[in-house]
Amino acid sequence: MSSSNVPFLEFYNGYKMPILGLGTYMSKEGEVLEAVKFAIENGYRHIDTAFVYENEKEVGEAIREKIKDGTVKREDIFVTTKLANVFHKENLVVPACKKSLENLGLNYVDLYLVHWPIAQKEGEELNPKDADGNVILSDVDYLETWKGMEECSRLGLARSIGVSNFNSEQITRLMENSTIKPVNNQVEVNINLNQKKLIEFCKTKNITITAYSPLGRPGNRHGIKNSLDNPKLLEISKKYHKTPEQIAFRFLLQEGVAPIPKSVTKSRIKENFDIFDFELTKEEMSVIESIGTEERVCGYLEAKNSKYYPFNIPF
C-alpha cells in the first residue's frame, strides 16, 4: 500500500494522524537514524518519540534527511513527542517543548503529549530515583502541567496536544478543567491488554487512542505469557498467510486505535506495514478479544506511590 492511502484517525480539531506509526522507545543510538529513514522510505508517515528516550536528535535528523532528499514534505510526516515527568511545573513546559523541537530540528510537532500523569522531582536528572529504585516524586498536579501544554498549542509549537497513560477519571478531571481538550491518549494496548473500556470511554470524549507496546513487548522482562503463540491466533494467521504479529496489529486497527510498533530491523519494519490488504471478520475479532489476560507490560510500579498513579482503577 502506498503511504498516501494509509488510513488515519481524525482529531476533533481537524488534524489527522496516520493509523500506523513507528515507535522508537529503547531504539539505540545509531540504530534509530537508519530505522526512521527506512520506515519513511517504506511508507510510514507517523513517527513517535519522547524526550526521555534521548533519541529525538537522531529521529529528527532522519526526518530532515528524508525531507531534504524529496522523499516527503514536512506536512506529510506526523511527529509525536512527549513531555518528561520532571518538567510538569507550568513554567517548565514551554521550554521543554522548545528543547524537544531544537533536538528534532523542527518548527513544530504534530502531537505533544504529557508522558505520564505523574510528576517527578524537577532538575537535570531525567528519571530521579531513590536508593530503593522508586522514583522521586514531585507533587505537581497534572492540571497545572496542562496549562503549559495549552500554551504550547497557542504558541504553535504543537499542532495538537494530548496525554499518555491517563485513566478515565484523570481524563474526566482534565476535560472539566481545561480550555483546550486533549486529542489523544497514548496507552498500552495489545492482545493481552485490549483496553476495550478505556477505548470506548475515550471515544465518547472525542479522544483518539495510540497503542504503545502493541505486541505486549515479546520477550518482556515481566514474565507475562506472550499471546502471540496462542493457538487461536495462530489459526487465524494461517488463514490469512500473515504472521501472528500482523494479525495483532490488524486487530488494533479494526478496534480504531493507532499501533506504533517499535523496531530497528528492516524486515520487521516492512512486515509491520503490510497489514492493509486483509480484514478480520467480526467473529475473528471476538476470538482475539477473548485471548486477553489484562496483564500489563508497562506497569511503572516504581511510581506507584504517586497520588496520580493511573493504574489503581480498572481503566
Side-chain angles (χ1 to χ4, degrees), residues 134-145:
N134 293 310
V135 303
I136 302 171
L137 299 165
S138 160
D139 59 1
V140 179
D141 188 328
Y142 56 82
L143 294 184
E144 177 186 328
T145 312

Side-chain angles (χ1 to χ4, degrees), residues 1 240 242 246 250 273-279:
M1 163 171 273
Y240 291 103
K242 295 287 181 183
Q246 288 170 319
R250 184 71 215 182
F273 197 78
D274 187 21
I275 55 173
F276 297 105
D277 59 352
F278 73 104
E279 194 163 332

Side-chain angles (χ1 to χ4, degrees), residues 69-267:
D69 73 10
T71 307
V72 287
K73 299 187 179 79
R74 169 63 187 99
E75 58 269 25
D76 298 332
I77 291 278
F78 188 98
V79 184
T80 301
T81 194
K82 310 175 196 87
L83 176 79
N85 298 348
V86 293
F87 302 133
H88 273 219
K89 282 189 172 171
E90 185 181 354
N91 65 325
L92 298 178
V93 179
V94 166
C97 186
K98 285 180 173 171
K99 180 65 187 161
S100 281
L101 289 174
E102 185 191 317
N103 287 343
L104 288 160
L106 300 174
N107 298 327
Y108 67 90
V109 283
D110 296 274
L111 182 58
Y112 196 42
L113 303 176
V114 181
H115 207 150
W116 286 89
I118 297 159
Q120 283 177 264
K121 181 185 163 216
E122 298 76 22
E124 291 303 303
E125 206 180 331
L126 267 186
N127 190 20
K129 293 185 178 182
D130 62 22
D132 297 323
N134 293 310
V135 303
I136 302 171
L137 299 165
S138 160
D139 59 1
V140 179
D141 188 328
Y142 56 82
L143 294 184
E144 177 186 328
T145 312
W146 191 252
K147 289 189 178 124
M149 296 292 285
E150 291 180 328
E151 190 56 20
C152 292
S153 173
R154 281 191 284 270
L155 292 169
L157 306 174
R159 284 195 160 169
S160 301
I161 52 175
V163 294
S164 182
N165 299 300
F166 274 53
N167 66 35
S168 57
E169 288 174 6
Q170 290 167 333
I171 286 169
T172 300
R173 183 168 174 254
L174 186 62
M175 301 281 283
E176 287 168 354
N177 292 279
S178 58
T179 312
I180 302 171
K181 311 297 177 205
V183 299
N184 181 264
N185 188 16
Q186 183 176 130
V187 291
E188 180 183 341
V189 193
N190 47 57
I191 288 174
N192 270 347
L193 185 72
N194 61 45
Q195 296 275 28
K196 196 91 180 147
K197 286 180 175 161
L198 184 62
I199 292 167
E200 282 167 9
F201 168 83
C202 286
K203 276 182 185 164
T204 67
K205 303 286 183 193
N206 237 339
I207 295 172
T208 58
I209 296 273
T210 302
Y212 73 73
S213 294
L215 296 177
R217 223 179 291 162
N220 68 77
R221 63 188 184 279
H222 304 278
I224 292 170
K225 187 168 166 28
N226 189 350
S227 295
L228 295 174
D229 52 18
N230 184 289
K232 293 174 184 173
L233 191 73
L234 294 174
E235 203 177 303
I236 295 169
S237 89
K238 277 198 192 87
K239 173 187 164 183
Y240 291 103
H241 305 290
K242 295 287 181 183
T243 64
E245 289 85 354
Q246 288 170 319
I247 300 297
F249 297 142
R250 184 71 215 182
F251 170 76
L252 296 178
L253 290 194
Q254 288 182 222
E255 285 291 320
V257 306
I260 47 166
K262 172 257 168 178
S263 185
V264 292
T265 310
K266 288 183 174 180
S267 58

